[in-house]
Amino acid sequence: AGALQHQLTVRARQDAAALPLVQLGAIGAGMAAVMIADVAGGTGAAVLLLILAALLYVGAVYSDRRSPARLFPKDAFRLGKPIGLGLWIVFLMPMAHSAASVYLVYLIQHLWGYGATLAGALNAVMAVCWSLVAIAVASAASQQTRRRLICLGPLFLVLGLIAIIFALWRTDIVLLVGGQVLIGAGFG
């Protein structure tokens, strides 16, 4: 019984030592920086806190690559690897969806003075493109072609977000529609 208890104690210590505490701590600190940025009071302080959060998140990923206790898969966020592209998609999709769906309609109405119908129609562009591109990718003749098309998803999401930022800044409806098309294509 004493030997079994000793083995269980040793195993518990090994399991505790295998926790990715550095990575989890960096991610938690990054989340705290984002939350504090919301109430920081000034734009400069908020921007600095958001930069700090981004650095903490990037640091967590790089720290994880060298850690014996891993939090992420081996090829996390590596663009040349399927798992890396998959994680970029998981990271970018909620950001693109909330920016292009949830907030865009509100911003178009209040910044540009468009009515609810036109703002909603501009929002629907993304969903229509998403569906059309998903059908096209699923209908691709070969598995290799489908994989290549899927690998373009993260690029389209980033380009679409950039286009929407510039469209809102320049009050450019054509660029806004282009951004929505790119985000929809990235999802599809």
Side-chain angles (χ1 to χ4, degrees):
L4 179 61
Q5 184 179 11
H6 175 69
Q7 285 179 337
L8 290 174
T9 303
V10 169
R11 177 68 182 169
R13 284 186 189 147
Q14 288 172 342
D15 288 346
L19 288 175
L21 295 177
V22 172
Q23 301 92 306
L24 291 171
I27 291 169
M31 291 169 58
V34 169
M35 289 185 284
I36 295 168
D38 184 45
V39 295
T43 304
V47 168
L48 287 174
L49 285 164
L50 292 175
I51 290 170
L52 173 64
L55 291 172
L56 285 164
Y57 295 146
V58 169
V61 172
Y62 280 110
S63 170
D64 192 67
R65 289 183 181 164
R66 293 181 298 278
S67 175
R70 300 188 59 95
L71 180 62
F72 300 108
K74 180 179 165 227
D75 292 323
F77 299 104
R78 292 181 193 260
L79 293 176
K81 304 290 183 175
I83 191 73
L85 286 172
L87 284 172
W88 274 112
I89 290 171
V90 167
F91 174 71
L92 292 170
M93 282 184 92
M95 189 183 321
H97 190 265
S98 64
S101 290
V102 177
Y103 300 111
L104 188 63
V105 172
Y106 178 82
L107 289 172
I108 291 171
Q109 287 178 307
H110 294 290
L111 292 179
W112 294 359
Y114 288 5
T117 303
L118 181 56
L122 290 172
N123 187 42
V125 168
M126 181 187 63
V128 170
C129 287
W130 181 347
S131 298
L132 293 174
V133 171
I135 292 168
V137 169
S139 301
S142 73
Q143 180 71 17
Q144 185 179 21
T145 302
R146 281 192 295 274
R147 285 185 185 175
R148 285 185 181 149
L149 291 172
I150 289 169
C151 288
L152 292 174
L155 175 64
F156 287 160
L157 291 174
V158 169
L159 292 175
L161 284 169
I162 291 169
I164 286 177
I165 289 168
F166 280 106
L168 290 171
W169 178 50
R170 297 179 58 200
T171 314
D172 186 338
I173 192 167
V174 174
L175 189 56
L176 182 89
V177 170
Q180 288 287 80
V181 167
L182 285 168
I183 289 174
F187 282 154

